[in-house]
Amino acid sequence: EPLFVEYHYGKQAGSEYVIGIRQNIRNDRPIIGHYNVNKSGSGDMYPKGANMLHTLRQVVNDDEKWRGILRGLNRDFYHQTVTTEQIENYLSQHSGRDLKRFFDQYLRDTRIPELEYRVEKKKLTYRWANAVEGFNMPVKVYLNGVETWLEPTTNWKELKKVKAGTKLTIDPNFYVQGGEKLES
């Protein structure tokens, strides 16, 4: 649906659409239920799945490459029954990133990753919290309005030469929480 909206009304409208459907996400249980158990996954598969893919598109950070990946999925798996593992491996291979923890976070966990940060002594320290162990998704942020890419993990990392009082804003196209400054 977001790609349809984007095609007909522009990229901003597509982004606004997918961000708008976040209000329908309950995060009541993982999208993927336990295999070989008579228990289905969550109805969040549509709005959360769309937001997961939209977030992955941001991580790829190259719309031509992203469209190529989507077309490749259709071409390479045409008229086949596929497993989740096949699709996850395909997306990892073609994006050039190990996406195991990304998929664990968005498909097999109910928590929304949260970017925690603090600015002190001319450095920004940051990490992913509320996330599966080893979650390592890059995220686009704005530091005092200047676009910056961070590579947070679940361990604290730092960026030096940051002014005291720096305001951090997360790009809303990423399905994450945070951007709230922790007190030192």
Side-chain angles (χ1 to χ4, degrees):
E1 292 172 354
L3 292 175
F4 175 87
V5 172
E6 178 177 330
Y7 177 81
H8 288 284
Y9 303 103
K11 189 170 184 175
Q12 182 176 345
S15 293
E16 289 171 356
Y17 178 88
V18 76
I19 291 166
I21 63 173
R22 288 179 187 164
Q23 65 188 342
N24 299 328
I25 300 172
R26 295 184 313 241
N27 282 313
D28 57 343
R29 58 183 193 247
I31 289 177
I32 295 180
H34 296 286
Y35 285 113
N36 299 318
V37 175
N38 190 17
K39 186 175 182 182
S40 62
S42 170
D44 282 346
M45 69 181 83
Y46 300 111
K48 188 174 181 180
N51 272 279
M52 178 197 73
L53 290 172
H54 187 68
T55 298
L56 182 54
R57 177 184 184 181
Q58 308 316 305
V59 169
V60 169
N61 196 29
D62 179 336
D63 282 348
E64 281 303 308
K65 183 176 184 178
W66 179 245
R67 281 191 286 278
I69 290 170
L70 295 179
R71 288 183 186 114
L73 281 166
N74 286 322
R75 179 190 64 240
D76 294 352
F77 296 111
Y78 183 73
H79 282 293
Q80 294 181 43
T81 301
V82 296
T83 65
T84 301
E85 182 180 27
Q86 285 177 287
I87 300 301
E88 289 178 15
N89 289 340
Y90 186 94
L91 291 168
S92 286
Q93 178 185 0
H94 290 85
S95 70
R97 290 191 160 275
D98 179 357
L99 297 170
K100 181 176 179 4
R101 298 292 183 232
F102 177 88
F103 291 122
D104 286 348
Q105 182 69 47
Y106 287 105
L107 297 177
R108 297 175 187 89
D109 199 278
T110 58
R111 298 172 293 172
I112 302 169
E114 183 174 349
L115 184 65
E116 292 184 333
Y117 79 95
R118 62 174 57 98
V119 178
E120 57 188 354
K121 298 180 184 175
K122 296 187 179 182
K123 69 179 177 181
L124 168 72
T125 55
Y126 57 91
R127 71 170 179 186
W128 287 121
N130 206 38
V132 298
E133 185 62 35
F135 185 64
N136 61 347
M137 181 181 76
V139 64
K140 185 190 323 179
V141 300
Y142 298 91
L143 300 177
N144 292 334
V146 177
E147 180 183 311
T148 305
W149 279 86
L150 299 177
E151 296 272 344
T153 66
T154 50
N155 297 315
W156 287 103
K157 295 180 88 175
E158 65 181 43
L159 180 65
K160 295 182 179 177
K161 298 182 181 178
V162 175
K163 296 177 184 174
T166 292
K167 179 176 171 31
L168 182 147
T169 307
I170 300 171
D171 185 310
N173 288 295
F174 287 80
Y175 181 49
V176 299
Q177 298 182 84
E180 296 301 319
K181 184 177 176 183
L182 299 174
E183 294 305 317
S184 302

